[in-house]
Amino acid sequence: MEQHWAKIIESMGEDLERPGLVDTPKRAAKAYAFLTRGYSQSVDEVVNNALFPSDSSEMIVVEDIEMYSLCEHHMLPFIGKCHVAYIPTGQVLGLSKVARIVDVFARRLQIQESLTSQIAETIMSVTNAEGVGVIIEAQHMCMMMRGVEKQNSRMKTSSMLGSFRSEQKTREEFLSLLQR
Ligand SMILES: Nc1nc2c(ncn2[C@@H]2O[C@H](COP(=O)(O)OP(=O)(O)OP(=O)(O)O)[C@@H](O)[C@H]2O)c(=O)[nH]1
Ligand SMILES: [Zn+2]
């Protein structure tokens, strides 16, 4: 990736020998490896068997998980918050693992819709929950810094599975818990 960044910088018309840029291809390669590290992670590895027996059958909501991703069309950041809820059936997931699952999929080239459903499907399969709801609200740099240049719009996407899809009351409970 480092060699490719050197070519990209040169093609911008910049001087790669300039002191400020000498190490930039290496830094950019390292930064983009970090921003896409989700490709080298697996769900099993990040969850690390942190599932705990529980009698609770009430809704669990983890809100405002900050999220940084890259849009797959322009490779520019989209940044926002992810809210995750599920209703357990005998076992609950370690709290931090919810955020780790968000990151495994956010740290890839994504569109927001797929990211939202990948998180929901993973929480569902890992916990065997009765239902899962995921909402992401994000701002896309490709729409702000360039292109249509709209600074204030936000995209909201949701993925509702199991009882969150079939039961209106469950979905409403989730949405009411998020209202501030
Ligand atoms: N649905 C969806 N679209 C996205 C996402 N991220 C970026 N896009 C859109 O992807 C589209 C790509 O459109 P193109 O016409 O191929 O590319 P473009 O010429 O750069 O488009 P503009 O952004 O309108 O200038 C744009 O409308 C982007 O706003 C996303 O997460 N979800
Ligand atoms: Zn984009």
Side-chain angles (χ1 to χ4, degrees), residues 17-85:
E17 307 297 310
R18 178 159 88 66
L21 288 181
V22 169
D23 291 328
T24 298
K26 193 191 296 173
R27 285 193 210 96
K30 205 172 156 192
Y32 269 78
F34 186 88
L35 299 179
T36 57
R37 69 190 193 280
Y39 291 116
S40 58
Q41 296 174 324
S42 73
V43 169
D44 282 353
E45 174 198 324
V46 302
V47 169
N48 194 29
N49 289 319
L51 285 157
F52 307 104
S54 167
D55 295 336
S56 171
S57 57
E58 298 299 328
M59 187 177 298
I60 296 163
V61 181
V62 188
E63 69 176 344
D64 289 342
I65 302 167
E66 63 262 41
M67 177 223 85
Y68 300 89
S69 190
L70 290 175
C71 89
E72 67 187 26
H73 302 131
H74 302 94
M75 299 208 297
L76 286 171
F78 63 97
I79 301 169
K81 290 174 180 172
C82 181
H83 314 296
V84 176

Side-chain angles (χ1 to χ4, degrees), residues 23 40 64 67 79 113-114 128 132 144 157 163 165 170:
D23 291 328
S40 58
D64 289 342
M67 177 223 85
I79 301 169
E113 294 90 332
S114 310
N128 201 24
V132 173
M144 296 171 71
T157 46
S163 56
R165 173 161 288 273
T170 304

Side-chain angles (χ1 to χ4, degrees), residues 79-93:
I79 301 169
K81 290 174 180 172
C82 181
H83 314 296
V84 176
Y86 67 102
I87 297 179
T89 53
Q91 56 178 1
V92 295
L93 183 57

Side-chain angles (χ1 to χ4, degrees), residues 71-74 78 110-113 140 142-143 146-148 155:
C71 89
E72 67 187 26
H73 302 131
H74 302 94
F78 63 97
Q110 282 285 9
I111 61 167
Q112 189 177 322
E113 294 90 332
H140 290 242
C142 64
M143 195 162 152
R146 58 158 296 287
V148 74
M155 188 185 204

Side-chain angles (χ1 to χ4, degrees), residues 116-136:
T116 311
S117 53
Q118 287 165 10
I119 295 166
E121 278 156 20
T122 302
I123 303 275
M124 189 75 165
S125 67
V126 166
T127 61
N128 201 24
E130 175 200 296
V132 173
V134 174
I135 293 178
I136 295 181

